[in-house]
Amino acid sequence: MQTAAHVLVALVALIHTYFLVLEMFLWDTPRGRKAFSTTAEFSAQSATLAANQGLYNGFMAAGLVWSLIAGDPVAHQAQIFFLSCLIIAGVYGAATVSRKILYAQAAPAALALVLVLASG
């Protein structure tokens, strides 16, 4: 069970690394605009804000990676903390921005958290 939890935690970290790339480096490109359903005008005007969001996603990914290499009890506690943060942010994003955030961010983090809690 612990191996499955670690695999899912790593997958969530990879997802958020991808979000970092999209938001910090690809936001104002056709790929970034397609991913977030934005116009060229909006993406140009909001690039700084998106880069800030991307940095947040990078910190979340870094925290999850740290939780995978840290020793216990820190590893387990860090996984619970960072996954919980992602779930809360995902639910808030789904309520205020787009329901897709629930599936792209909150659901994978929630599944990983269930496995982390079950393995702990």
Side-chain angles (χ1 to χ4, degrees), residues 2 4 21 24 28 36-37 41 43 47 58 69-70 74 81-82 91 93-94 99 112:
Q2 188 175 23
V21 171
M24 290 190 81
D28 198 20
F36 294 100
S37 301
E41 180 181 42
S43 67
I69 60 176
V74 171
F81 173 76
F82 284 101
V91 169
R99 192 165 200 79

Side-chain angles (χ1 to χ4, degrees), residues 74-89:
V74 171
H76 188 73
Q77 294 167 348
Q79 287 171 3
I80 292 169
F81 173 76
F82 284 101
L83 292 169
S84 297
C85 289
L86 290 173
I87 293 164
I88 293 165

Side-chain angles (χ1 to χ4, degrees), residues 8-89:
L8 276 179
V9 169
L11 180 62
V12 172
L14 282 173
I15 290 169
H16 285 274
T17 301
Y18 178 65
F19 293 160
L20 173 146
V21 171
L22 276 174
E23 293 170 343
M24 290 190 81
F25 305 110
L26 301 176
W27 182 261
D28 198 20
T29 68
R31 183 174 179 176
R33 288 190 293 272
K34 181 179 179 187
F36 294 100
S37 301
T38 60
T39 64
E41 180 181 42
F42 178 81
S43 67
Q45 292 175 347
S46 59
T48 303
L49 177 62
N52 186 287
Q53 288 177 187
L55 187 60
Y56 148 81
N57 279 300
F59 287 137
M60 293 292 105
L64 290 173
V65 169
W66 171 57
S67 79
L68 291 170
I69 60 176
D72 279 326
V74 171
H76 188 73
Q77 294 167 348
Q79 287 171 3
I80 292 169
F81 173 76
F82 284 101
L83 292 169
S84 297
C85 289
L86 290 173
I87 293 164
I88 293 165

